[in-house]
Amino acid sequence: MTLWRIGLTGGIGSGKSTVARRLAGHGATVVDTDAIARALTAPGGAAIDALRAAFGPAAIGADGALDRAWMRERAFGEPGAKERLEAILHPMIGEQVAREAAAGRHPVCVYDVPLLVESAHWRGRVDRVWVVDCTPATQVARVVARSGWDASTVQAVIARQASRAARRAAADAVIVNEGLSLDALAAEVDHLWRQLQPAGSATTTG
């Protein structure tokens, strides 16, 4: 039985995935909407045929997966493209989110949702919103280092996401992941985790 529904969010490069892994280590059910979207748009994914029909064969790469770079350009630069993409993916993501949450056996279910603040319905579906926060400059540096994108591409993604101020305003708790070691970040997450636990209960991650 789920006792806590936590909405975990943060801008690109914030460290949200690291926080989600720490929570999973404690035993929480983690429902990762980005991972679901990637599975739907992978070769043979359930969304591929609908995406090909909506955007044409150029949307699908030689490997049979959604060409994410091609789609990102359209979503940022072509009127209505983002809405068409979301109309295909969001219902499919929602169905899989419900299945994974229902299958979870831990009383804490964490919904890892990059665009939680931008969504009209997510705030009403969770009990608390936890935001992983850092400066835009740190976001850019992290994403460039890990992905090879140029800084302007990362900045364009950041500009399309909720502002840092908007995410912080929506938060019940803010995890400031700026200049922290992995151990220090883990300690911040553990502190929040303990607040969800009944007195005297144990956690699985040391």
Side-chain angles (χ1 to χ4, degrees):
M1 178 181 177
T2 299
L3 299 180
W4 286 105
R5 299 168 301 167
I6 304 299
L8 178 67
T9 194
I12 186 171
S14 64
K16 178 177 57 60
S17 295
T18 302
V19 171
R21 286 192 295 271
R22 184 69 178 182
L23 293 168
H26 281 300
T29 299
V30 176
V31 180
D32 184 339
T33 59
D34 251 5
I36 291 170
R38 287 193 295 271
L40 290 170
T41 57
I48 291 297
D49 287 345
L51 291 167
R52 183 183 289 110
F55 293 98
I60 310 302
D63 62 352
L66 175 67
D67 186 329
R68 297 173 73 88
W70 185 94
M71 185 59 70
R72 188 164 52 246
E73 289 181 8
R74 299 306 177 283
F76 289 164
E78 184 177 301
K82 179 173 179 287
E83 290 73 19
R84 288 157 57 206
L85 177 65
E86 291 175 347
I88 294 169
L89 291 182
H90 283 189
M92 293 182 177
I93 293 170
E95 290 171 5
Q96 184 62 24
V97 164
R99 284 192 289 268
E100 293 187 13
R105 298 184 178 277
H106 194 276
V108 178
C109 184
V110 177
Y111 296 92
D112 181 343
V113 186
L115 301 182
L116 185 149
V117 173
E118 294 87 336
S119 169
H121 71 273
W122 265 108
R123 188 60 183 91
R125 295 177 62 180
V126 298
D127 302 304
R128 293 186 181 177
V129 172
W130 290 357
V131 169
V132 187
D133 178 66
C134 64
T135 65
T138 296
Q139 290 179 261
V140 171
R142 286 174 179 163
V143 178
V144 168
R146 79 185 184 203
S147 71
W149 293 5
D150 59 51
S152 62
T153 299
V154 183
Q155 288 161 349
V157 173
I158 292 171
R160 293 293 293 263
Q161 295 182 336
S163 69
R164 186 184 185 191
R167 281 193 296 268
R168 291 176 69 100
D172 296 295
V174 177
I175 302 166
V176 180
N177 184 22
E178 187 76 44
L180 295 183
S181 67
L182 288 176
D183 286 346
L185 178 60
E188 292 291 323
V189 177
D190 294 351
H191 174 71
L192 288 175
W193 177 260
R194 286 192 293 271
Q195 294 179 14
L196 303 178
Q197 308 308 309
S201 65
T203 60
T204 58
T205 301

